[in-house]
Amino acid sequence: MVSLIKLTENDKRLIIVILLVVILLFVIAGYVGLLVKKIMKSQAAKADDMLHDVVEAGVITSEKKLLLFGIRKNWREFFRRAWIPFLIMLFASTLLLFYCIFSKNWSYNIWDSQKEGFNTLFFVHDWSSFYTSTSEGFAITWPKLISSPHLSGEAWVSYIFVPSMIVGGSWFMFQVQGYIARAFRIYKLSRTAFRKTMENVTPPSSPIKPE
Amino acid sequence: MLGFIKIFLQGLLYVVTLPLILLVLAGYAVYCVFVFIYIAIRSVIVFFMGGTPLGDLPEDVEAKRILMQRATTTPENSTQALADAITQSQMQIIQTIYAQQNQQQNEPVQPQDNFVTENSQDSEENKIEDMDDGVSY
């Protein structure tokens, strides 16, 4: 079996390079994960702020009530933080809808690269011709250029719609992440806030003996 | 090296669980859209009923009231307030005394009183002189 696989020096080099690239990608993914964790921790800190006063004042005295109160507060907090991206997306969607209604063009393609889509601003290649099979194996060729960047008058709606949706959507998803972070923190706090701890308890030096 | 391996393994874990993470995120995003619409409709109704749409919850109001009350009646605060009051009253007393002393020191000379005194002194001398003369008025 081993004798069937014959690797040349170039193949070995290629495998090592691919392996290094894969390791690098995993390490980058690890650092991205750590960054997301850090951001979520800072987003979750707001949950402590939301629940502190009611527990400190003794208004809420049970785990279940604290959890329900936390959920209600979290909804409000999410609304406060997400209304701007929501409005941005709503505006973009309304604009596209009205454009389709008034132009009576319901087949408007926002990703078109020729005249009415957002891709008119970019280089567009035909990736279907990236590799072709030949009698000797596969041949990789640089894909053909379909469209070069140019401004198109008919694409103005997609120029507004696509960036607005990208910005609004990313912002909204960031707030969803914050909502999840706070929800987890609220759940954890509701489980531990009323639990007695032995961390800082020291027994008296002269214990009272039972009679 | 150990840290590098740890990061690498974490990255591997994140990549493997990425579809699940994205699924959870997408689920929460849909849930959050419904939450958003619910809170928006509720806020509009509360607004037109004359309330504050995103104001404090009743629990928050109660907690604030209790904490305010506690802050004004804690022993440390009452002791501090008493100490402040004593210091203030002492300062007032000292200022009053100081002002009185200043007033006494800077009091202008009243010529009429001196005149009376001089006159009285003169009259005493005259008396003595008159007595010497053997006449008393």
Side-chain angles (χ1 to χ4, degrees), chain A residues 93-137:
Chain A
S93 307
T94 312
L95 184 74
L96 183 63
L97 183 71
F98 274 94
Y99 181 80
C100 290
I101 289 170
F102 287 114
S103 67
K104 292 174 182 172
N105 176 16
W106 292 99
S107 59
Y108 187 81
N109 181 10
I110 55 166
W111 301 113
D112 180 44
S113 60
Q114 299 304 318
K115 59 173 187 175
E116 61 181 18
F118 191 67
N119 278 337
T120 50
L121 296 176
F122 302 102
F123 287 105
V124 181
H125 295 90
D126 181 19
W127 288 96
S128 62
S129 63
F130 181 56
Y131 66 86
T132 49
S133 58
T134 60
S135 56
E136 295 170 359

Side-chain angles (χ1 to χ4, degrees), chain B residues 58-104:
Chain B
E59 289 91 341
D60 283 323
V61 176
E62 182 68 10
K64 273 181 189 169
R65 192 187 61 75
I66 290 170
L67 289 176
M68 281 283 282
Q69 203 176 11
R70 203 182 285 173
T72 51
T73 55
T74 47
E76 296 100 28
N77 282 330
S78 58
T79 313
Q80 185 62 38
L82 189 65
D84 287 346
I86 289 167
T87 313
Q88 202 176 356
S89 63
Q90 281 175 342
M91 285 298 289
Q92 276 179 352
I93 291 165
I94 290 165
Q95 278 174 354
T96 312
I97 292 167
Y98 187 71
Q100 280 175 352
Q101 282 178 348
N102 272 352
Q103 199 179 356
Q104 282 174 359

Side-chain angles (χ1 to χ4, degrees), chain A residues 22-23 25-27 29-31 33-34 37 50 53-54 56-60 69 71-73 75-76 78-80 82-83 86 172-173 176-177 179-180 183-184, chain B residues 4 7-8 10-12 14-15 24-26 28-29 31-33 35-40 42-43 52-60 62-64 66-67 70:
Chain A
V22 168
I23 288 170
L25 284 177
F26 282 139
V27 170
Y31 277 115
L34 284 181
K37 239 182 196 176
M50 291 191 303
D53 284 1
V54 286
E56 177 77 18
V59 175
I60 288 176
F69 175 75
I71 289 169
R72 274 196 296 160
K73 289 287 282 185
W75 283 3
R76 283 158 169 257
F78 175 75
F79 183 81
R80 268 196 212 103
W83 70 271
F86 197 86
F172 189 81
M173 289 311 285
V176 170
Q177 180 192 293
Y179 178 87
I180 295 169
F184 274 97
Chain B
F4 181 80
I7 292 288
F8 169 75
Q10 275 184 343
L12 187 67
Y14 291 139
V15 169
V24 170
L25 196 66
Y28 264 104
Y31 168 74
C32 283
V33 168
V35 165
F36 188 92
I37 291 166
Y38 166 71
I39 295 286
R42 196 179 167 279
S43 300
T52 315
L54 292 172
D56 286 338
L57 290 170
E59 289 91 341
D60 283 323
E62 182 68 10
K64 273 181 189 169
I66 290 170
L67 289 176
R70 203 182 285 173

Side-chain angles (χ1 to χ4, degrees), chain A:
Chain A
M1 185 71 188
V2 175
S3 61
L4 288 175
I5 303 168
K6 286 178 182 173
L7 295 172
T8 61
E9 200 60 35
N10 273 345
D11 291 339
K12 283 177 188 172
R13 281 179 191 161
L14 191 69
I15 287 168
I16 289 168
V17 168
I18 289 170
L19 206 66
L20 283 175
V21 168
V22 168
I23 288 170
L24 191 69
L25 284 177
F26 282 139
V27 170
I28 289 170
Y31 277 115
V32 169
L34 284 181
L35 184 71
V36 170
K37 239 182 196 176
K38 212 170 188 178
I39 290 169
M40 284 183 84
K41 209 171 258 184
S42 71
Q43 285 174 323
K46 182 69 186 169
D48 292 51
D49 191 36
M50 291 191 303
L51 302 184
H52 176 268
D53 284 1
V54 286
V55 177
E56 177 77 18
V59 175
I60 288 176
T61 50
S62 72
E63 287 180 11
K64 196 180 171 185
K65 278 182 184 172
L66 186 63
L67 183 63
L68 292 174
F69 175 75
I71 289 169
R72 274 196 296 160
K73 289 287 282 185
N74 201 9
W75 283 3
R76 283 158 169 257
E77 187 64 27
F78 175 75
F79 183 81
R80 268 196 212 103
R81 287 168 182 264
W83 70 271
I84 296 174
F86 197 86
L87 278 188
I88 290 172
M89 289 194 293
L90 193 70
F91 165 74
S93 307
T94 312
L95 184 74
L96 183 63
L97 183 71
F98 274 94
Y99 181 80
C100 290
I101 289 170
F102 287 114
S103 67
K104 292 174 182 172
N105 176 16
W106 292 99
S107 59
Y108 187 81
N109 181 10
I110 55 166
W111 301 113
D112 180 44
S113 60
Q114 299 304 318
K115 59 173 187 175
E116 61 181 18
F118 191 67
N119 278 337
T120 50
L121 296 176
F122 302 102
F123 287 105
V124 181
H125 295 90
D126 181 19
W127 288 96
S128 62
S129 63
F130 181 56
Y131 66 86
T132 49
S133 58
T134 60
S135 56
E136 295 170 359
F138 289 106
I140 294 173
T141 51
W142 186 249
K144 276 192 290 182
L145 185 68
I146 298 171
S147 171
S148 302
H150 63 281
L151 282 172
S152 170
E154 288 177 55
W156 68 271
V157 177
S158 58
Y159 293 160
I160 296 172
F161 179 79
V162 174
S164 301
M165 287 305 274
I166 289 170
V167 171
S170 311
W171 193 347
F172 189 81
M173 289 311 285
F174 182 73
Q175 296 308 333
V176 170
Q177 180 192 293
Y179 178 87
I180 295 169
R182 286 192 300 274
F184 274 97
R185 182 70 183 151
I186 286 165
Y187 179 73
K188 195 179 169 189
L189 286 174
S190 71
R191 300 282 294 170
T192 55
F194 302 107
R195 193 176 288 169
K196 287 177 182 174
T197 176
M198 291 291 288
E199 287 293 325
N200 299 318
V201 177
T202 47
S205 53
S206 54
I208 300 161
K209 288 176 185 173
E211 291 176 2

Side-chain angles (χ1 to χ4, degrees), chain B residues 41-53:
Chain B
I41 293 169
R42 196 179 167 279
S43 300
V44 169
I45 293 168
V46 169
F47 177 75
F48 282 110
M49 284 173 75
T52 315

